[in-house]
Amino acid sequence: MEAQGTLTVTIHQSVATITFGHPAANSFPSTLLEQLVKAIEKASNDSAVKIIVLKSEGDRVFCSGASFDELLQVNDAKGAQQFFAGFANVINAMRKSTKLIVGRVQGKVVGGGVGIVAACDYVIASAKASMKLSEVAIGIGPFVIAPAIERKAGKAALSHLSLSPTEWKSAEWAAQQGLFAKVVASNEELEKEVNDYAQQMAQFSAKALKEMKKMLWEGTEDWDELLAKRASVSGQLVLSEETRAALQQFKNK
């Protein structure tokens, strides 16, 4: 049976730090996505929290996206749609959160992880934090996460990422597109930068931060419906024989 991963939440000086991890390169099975949604919602509703920091375990990979093991076990349209809805639910929880979310990205980002990064309000990354969208190479597409990427970086950057599925884009490139607010040289520097930034922001007015959050996400009110539709598209594509063969090939690399 596949490991389900871990998720922890700590609160210190008005900053809630949500840390997720999975032995398979910090990938996301459905149960871990569900836990992340609940953790974001709980922190958002906690009056003791002003800022949320989202990070992952380890020092090499921030997030490798969907769990290939779980995707290969999906065998009907309903199950496939529900799996991709897991990422939709996380992005919508981040969008609806009343608290600003700071992403700490220490390493490579793939697939759904790029969507999660794009849904953060402010991201500080290590120079090792390259990214790619490999979905097209396995016969699907980044349909669920595309609105988050396009909102932050524009359609051209989304196009460059999604239509070069085997090419890693550098942290510098991601910063130039607006996906990263700041890039630092090392993980040690990253830890300090994120902590300092979160603590600084936590000193400001909670009401002002809440209004800033609302302003930044204006125009996304239809995303509950939009991302559900996109999950259905991905769910239909992932059931094809061609995609399942490609998934198995990727898993065996």
Side-chain angles (χ1 to χ4, degrees):
M1 180 179 289
E2 182 193 11
Q4 297 305 306
T6 60
L7 187 140
T8 60
V9 182
T10 59
I11 299 175
H12 178 66
Q13 295 181 346
S14 301
V15 177
T17 300
I18 301 174
T19 307
F20 65 89
H22 193 281
N26 289 334
S27 60
F28 271 105
S30 293
T31 53
L32 192 56
L33 289 168
E34 291 168 4
Q35 289 177 48
L36 181 55
V37 168
K38 291 176 181 176
I40 292 168
E41 291 176 343
K42 185 175 181 180
S44 180
N45 293 323
D46 189 339
S47 60
V49 173
K50 285 188 175 182
I51 297 291
I52 297 171
V53 171
L54 182 61
K55 61 186 288 191
S56 65
E57 296 177 349
D59 60 4
R60 297 184 63 186
V61 179
F62 173 73
C63 177
S64 61
S67 163
F68 280 6
D69 285 337
E70 188 168 338
L71 270 175
L72 284 166
Q73 292 170 13
V74 171
N75 54 23
D76 60 52
K78 182 179 179 181
Q81 193 277 337
Q82 287 177 341
F83 178 84
F84 288 103
F87 280 96
N89 294 338
V90 169
I91 289 172
N92 276 323
M94 296 174 74
R95 171 178 70 88
K96 295 175 184 177
S97 172
T98 59
K99 312 295 166 66
L100 292 172
I101 299 176
V102 179
R104 176 193 181 278
V105 182
Q106 80 282 17
K108 290 182 175 180
V109 193
V110 183
V114 179
I116 290 174
V117 165
C120 290
D121 299 297
Y122 193 93
V123 178
I124 304 175
S126 159
K128 296 184 295 183
S130 56
M131 62 173 58
K132 69 176 177 179
L133 292 179
S134 55
E135 285 88 343
V136 170
I138 56 175
I140 54 176
F143 302 110
V144 170
I145 63 173
I149 298 169
E150 184 177 348
R151 167 188 164 269
K152 184 66 72 70
K155 188 154 288 194
L158 170 63
S159 221
H160 295 161
L161 269 172
S162 57
L163 299 182
S164 55
T166 63
E167 179 184 335
W168 288 99
K169 302 291 189 183
S170 69
E172 181 182 359
W173 181 90
Q176 290 170 347
Q177 310 311 312
L179 291 165
F180 297 158
K182 183 181 289 189
V183 176
V184 298
S186 67
N187 284 342
E188 292 76 19
E189 190 176 349
L190 176 65
E191 187 71 13
K192 183 179 187 307
E193 285 283 343
V194 171
N195 289 340
D196 289 351
Y197 179 77
Q199 287 300 326
Q200 179 190 51
M201 294 299 290
Q203 303 304 310
F204 301 148
S205 161
K207 290 182 179 179
L209 294 175
K210 182 178 180 179
E211 290 302 317
M212 282 295 300
K213 176 84 179 193
K214 285 169 60 178
M215 181 192 73
L216 290 171
W217 285 90
E218 283 176 355
T220 64
E221 293 79 10
D222 65 336
W223 279 23
D224 282 335
E225 182 180 356
L226 174 63
L227 299 194
K229 287 180 179 178
R230 296 289 184 85
S232 293
V233 174
S234 293
Q236 292 166 22
L237 289 170
V238 82
L239 295 175
S240 73
E241 290 185 13
E242 182 181 15
T243 296
R244 298 184 82 75
L247 275 170
Q248 188 65 60
Q249 195 171 25
F250 262 73
K251 180 188 171 186
N252 292 338
K253 281 185 178 180

